[in-house]
Amino acid sequence: MLTIAEQSRMLRAGFPQFRAIDLTERRGIWEGNVCPSTTSYRLRIDYEFPPHFALRSPVWDYYPRVYVIEPYLRRNYEAELGPLPHVWYDKKYQGQPNLCLFHPEKMEWGYSSSICEMTLPDACEWLNSYEMWLADGRWYGGGDSHEPLAGKETDDL
């Protein structure tokens, strides 16, 4: 299991543009910019360990969530897979979606997975797919389809 401190050290070494916003023993929040193609994106990574009594809880409840802080993710209502594909909605950050970077039930993320080596490269790949999707309405990033979430397909985020 990689601790929050170890994740932070690895992230700082691999992506020095990312800074810790909040670090505790159980939770880390980092922000930084990536530029996977022509657009620079400010990302927030929020990763929290479960309480010690819940370590056997499903990992998908406690994976690193990656949010695009700016520019806001745009919707494309004419595109396949809905107005904004491959995102999950939660109550953090004013309902902003977090990027779907792996299939939760396939155990593609674990407590020994590295945010630096796995999550951020996957986020950059997701952003490349997003830019192509904005351009032509097709999702080239692979992955399983999501069910649309009622009430979440209104305005740009």
Side-chain angles (χ1 to χ4, degrees), residues 25 28-29 36 39 41 44-45 55 57 67 72 84 95 99 109-111 114-115 125 128 130-131 133-134 145-146 156:
E25 190 175 309
I29 301 174
T39 303
Y41 296 90
R44 176 177 292 150
I45 302 166
L55 279 175
S57 65
Y67 301 88
Y72 290 124
L84 187 57
L99 309 184
W109 170 265
Y111 296 122
S114 166
I115 292 171
E125 183 179 326
N128 275 323
Y130 166 76
E131 289 182 5
W133 172 82
L134 280 177
S145 64
H146 291 220
D156 281 357

Side-chain angles (χ1 to χ4, degrees), residues 85-114:
H86 296 285
V87 296
W88 298 108
Y89 290 90
D90 58 33
K91 294 178 182 174
K92 293 182 180 180
Y93 309 115
Q94 294 80 41
Q96 250 179 310
N98 65 79
L99 309 184
C100 178
L101 303 176
F102 66 94
H103 192 290
E105 294 175 353
K106 292 182 181 177
M107 302 304 287
E108 295 170 338
W109 170 265
Y111 296 122
S112 61
S113 300
S114 166

Side-chain angles (χ1 to χ4, degrees), residues 44-57:
R44 176 177 292 150
I45 302 166
D46 189 334
Y47 180 48
E48 184 173 8
F49 282 143
H52 71 283
F53 57 84
L55 279 175
R56 295 181 188 257
S57 65

